[in-house]
Coordinates of all heavy atoms in Angstrom, one line a residue:
K3 N -1.2 27.7 -8.0 CA -1.8 26.3 -8.1 C -2.8 26.1 -7.0 O -3.8 25.3 -7.2 CB -0.6 25.3 -8.0 CG 0.3 25.3 -9.2 CD 1.4 24.2 -9.0 CE 2.3 24.2 -10.3 NZ 3.4 23.2 -10.1
N4 N -2.5 26.6 -5.8 CA -3.4 26.4 -4.7 C -4.7 27.3 -4.8 O -5.6 27.2 -4.0 CB -2.7 26.7 -3.4 CG -1.6 25.7 -3.2 OD1 -1.7 24.5 -3.6 ND2 -0.5 26.1 -2.5
N5 N -4.7 28.3 -5.7 CA -5.8 29.2 -5.8 C -6.9 28.6 -6.6 O -6.7 28.3 -7.8 CB -5.4 30.5 -6.4 CG -6.4 31.6 -6.3 OD1 -7.5 31.4 -5.7 ND2 -6.2 32.7 -7.0
P6 N -8.1 28.3 -6.1 CA -9.2 27.7 -6.9 C -9.8 28.6 -7.9 O -10.4 28.2 -8.8 CB -10.2 27.3 -5.8 CG -10.0 28.3 -4.7 CD -8.5 28.6 -4.7
N7 N -9.7 29.9 -7.7 CA -10.3 30.9 -8.6 C -9.5 30.9 -9.9 O -8.3 30.7 -10.0 CB -10.3 32.3 -8.0 CG -11.1 32.3 -6.7 OD1 -12.1 31.6 -6.6 ND2 -10.7 33.1 -5.7
D8 N -10.2 31.2 -11.0 CA -9.6 31.4 -12.3 C -8.7 32.6 -12.3 O -9.0 33.6 -11.7 CB -10.7 31.4 -13.4 CG -11.4 30.1 -13.5 OD1 -10.9 29.1 -13.1 OD2 -12.6 30.2 -13.9
A9 N -7.7 32.5 -13.1 CA -6.8 33.6 -13.2 C -7.4 34.7 -14.1 O -8.4 34.4 -14.9 CB -5.5 33.2 -13.9
W10 N -7.0 35.9 -14.0 CA -7.6 37.0 -14.8 C -7.2 36.9 -16.2 O -6.1 36.5 -16.6 CB -7.1 38.3 -14.2 CG -7.6 39.5 -15.0 CD1 -8.8 40.2 -14.8 CD2 -7.0 40.2 -16.1 NE1 -9.0 41.2 -15.7 CE2 -7.9 41.2 -16.5 CE3 -5.8 40.0 -16.8 CZ2 -7.6 42.1 -17.6 CZ3 -5.5 40.8 -17.9 CH2 -6.4 41.8 -18.3
R11 N -8.2 37.1 -17.1 CA -8.0 37.0 -18.5 C -8.7 38.3 -19.1 O -9.7 38.8 -18.6 CB -8.7 35.8 -19.1 CG -8.0 34.5 -18.7 CD -6.6 34.4 -19.3 NE -6.0 33.1 -19.0 CZ -5.3 32.8 -17.9 NH1 -5.2 33.8 -17.0 NH2 -4.8 31.7 -17.7
P12 N -8.1 38.8 -20.1 CA -8.7 40.1 -20.7 C -10.0 39.8 -21.3 O -10.3 38.7 -21.9 CB -7.6 40.4 -21.8 CG -6.9 39.2 -22.1 CD -6.8 38.4 -20.8
S13 N -10.9 40.7 -21.2 CA -12.3 40.5 -21.7 C -12.4 40.8 -23.2 O -13.4 40.5 -23.8 CB -13.2 41.5 -20.9 OG -12.9 42.8 -21.1
G14 N -11.4 41.5 -23.8 CA -11.5 41.9 -25.2 C -11.9 43.3 -25.3 O -11.8 43.9 -26.4
V15 N -12.4 44.0 -24.3 CA -12.7 45.4 -24.3 C -11.7 46.1 -23.5 O -11.6 46.0 -22.3 CB -14.1 45.6 -23.7 CG1 -14.5 47.1 -23.8 CG2 -15.2 44.7 -24.4
P16 N -10.8 46.9 -24.2 CA -9.7 47.6 -23.5 C -10.2 48.5 -22.4 O -9.6 48.6 -21.4 CB -9.0 48.3 -24.6 CG -9.4 47.6 -25.9 CD -10.8 47.1 -25.7
E17 N -11.4 49.2 -22.6 CA -11.8 50.1 -21.6 C -12.1 49.4 -20.3 O -11.8 49.9 -19.2 CB -13.1 50.9 -22.1 CG -12.8 51.8 -23.3 CD -12.7 51.1 -24.6 OE1 -12.9 49.9 -24.6 OE2 -12.4 51.8 -25.6
Q18 N -12.8 48.3 -20.4 CA -13.2 47.5 -19.2 C -12.0 47.0 -18.5 O -11.8 47.0 -17.3 CB -14.2 46.4 -19.6 CG -15.5 46.9 -20.1 CD -16.4 45.7 -20.4 OE1 -16.1 44.6 -20.2 NE2 -17.6 46.1 -20.9
D19 N -11.0 46.4 -19.3 CA -9.8 45.9 -18.7 C -9.0 47.0 -18.1 O -8.5 46.8 -17.0 CB -9.0 45.2 -19.8 CG -9.7 44.0 -20.5 OD1 -10.6 43.5 -19.8 OD2 -9.4 43.7 -21.6
F20 N -9.0 48.1 -18.7 CA -8.2 49.2 -18.1 C -8.8 49.7 -16.8 O -8.2 50.0 -15.8 CB -8.1 50.4 -19.1 CG -7.1 51.4 -18.7 CD1 -5.8 51.2 -18.7 CD2 -7.6 52.7 -18.4 CE1 -4.9 52.1 -18.4 CE2 -6.7 53.7 -18.0 CZ -5.3 53.4 -18.1
C21 N -10.2 49.8 -16.8 CA -10.9 50.2 -15.6 C -10.7 49.1 -14.5 O -10.6 49.5 -13.3 CB -12.4 50.4 -15.9 SG -12.7 51.9 -16.9
S22 N -10.8 47.9 -14.8 CA -10.7 46.8 -13.8 C -9.2 46.8 -13.2 O -9.0 46.4 -12.1 CB -10.9 45.5 -14.4 OG -10.0 45.2 -15.5
F23 N -8.3 47.3 -14.0 CA -6.9 47.4 -13.5 C -6.7 48.6 -12.6 O -6.1 48.6 -11.6 CB -5.9 47.4 -14.7 CG -4.5 47.7 -14.3 CD1 -3.8 46.6 -13.7 CD2 -3.9 48.9 -14.4 CE1 -2.5 46.9 -13.3 CE2 -2.6 49.1 -14.0 CZ -1.9 48.1 -13.5
L24 N -7.4 49.8 -13.0 CA -7.2 51.0 -12.3 C -8.1 51.2 -11.1 O -7.7 51.9 -10.1 CB -7.4 52.2 -13.2 CG -6.3 52.4 -14.2 CD1 -6.6 53.6 -15.1 CD2 -4.9 52.6 -13.6
M25 N -9.3 50.6 -11.1 CA -10.3 50.8 -10.0 C -9.7 50.3 -8.7 O -9.9 51.1 -7.7 CB -11.6 50.1 -10.4 CG -12.5 50.8 -11.3 SD -12.9 52.5 -10.8 CE -13.8 52.1 -9.3
P26 N -9.1 49.1 -8.5 CA -8.6 48.8 -7.2 C -7.5 49.8 -6.7 O -7.5 50.1 -5.5 CB -7.9 47.4 -7.4 CG -8.7 46.9 -8.6 CD -9.0 48.0 -9.5
Y27 N -6.7 50.3 -7.6 CA -5.7 51.3 -7.2 C -6.4 52.6 -6.8 O -6.0 53.1 -5.7 CB -4.8 51.6 -8.4 CG -3.9 52.8 -8.2 CD1 -2.7 52.6 -7.4 CD2 -4.1 54.0 -8.8 CE1 -1.9 53.7 -7.2 CE2 -3.3 55.1 -8.6 CZ -2.2 54.9 -7.8 OH -1.3 56.0 -7.6
Y28 N -7.4 53.1 -7.5 CA -8.1 54.3 -7.1 C -8.9 54.1 -5.8 O -9.0 55.0 -5.0 CB -9.0 54.7 -8.2 CG -8.3 55.4 -9.4 CD1 -8.7 55.1 -10.7 CD2 -7.3 56.3 -9.2 CE1 -8.1 55.7 -11.8 CE2 -6.7 56.9 -10.3 CZ -7.0 56.5 -11.5 OH -6.4 57.1 -12.6
Q29 N -9.4 52.9 -5.6 CA -10.1 52.6 -4.4 C -9.2 52.6 -3.2 O -9.5 53.2 -2.1 CB -10.8 51.3 -4.5 CG -12.0 51.3 -5.4 CD -12.6 49.9 -5.6 OE1 -12.1 48.9 -5.1 NE2 -13.8 49.8 -6.3
K30 N -8.0 52.1 -3.4 CA -7.0 52.2 -2.3 C -6.6 53.6 -2.0 O -6.5 54.0 -0.8 CB -5.8 51.3 -2.7 CG -6.0 49.8 -2.7 CD -4.8 49.1 -3.0 CE -5.0 47.6 -3.1 NZ -3.7 46.8 -3.4
Q31 N -6.4 54.4 -3.1 CA -6.1 55.8 -2.9 C -7.2 56.5 -2.2 O -7.0 57.4 -1.3 CB -5.8 56.4 -4.2 CG -4.5 55.9 -4.9 CD -3.3 56.2 -4.1 OE1 -3.2 57.3 -3.5 NE2 -2.3 55.3 -4.0

């Protein structure tokens, strides 16, 4: 509720959604 940014919503393209989910993990690694 206190976060002004919009929550994540799927873009409709599974490849992009999958990459957006995995990229932060790979960057941390």
Side-chain angles (χ1 to χ4, degrees):
K3 290 180 179 179
N4 297 328
N5 189 7
N7 299 325
D8 295 334
W10 180 85
R11 292 293 183 273
S13 62
V15 182
E17 292 80 3
Q18 294 181 2
D19 297 336
F20 193 67
C21 290
S22 63
F23 174 76
L24 287 180
M25 281 302 295
Y27 171 77
Y28 285 137
Q29 289 175 354
K30 291 181 180 179
Q31 291 296 319

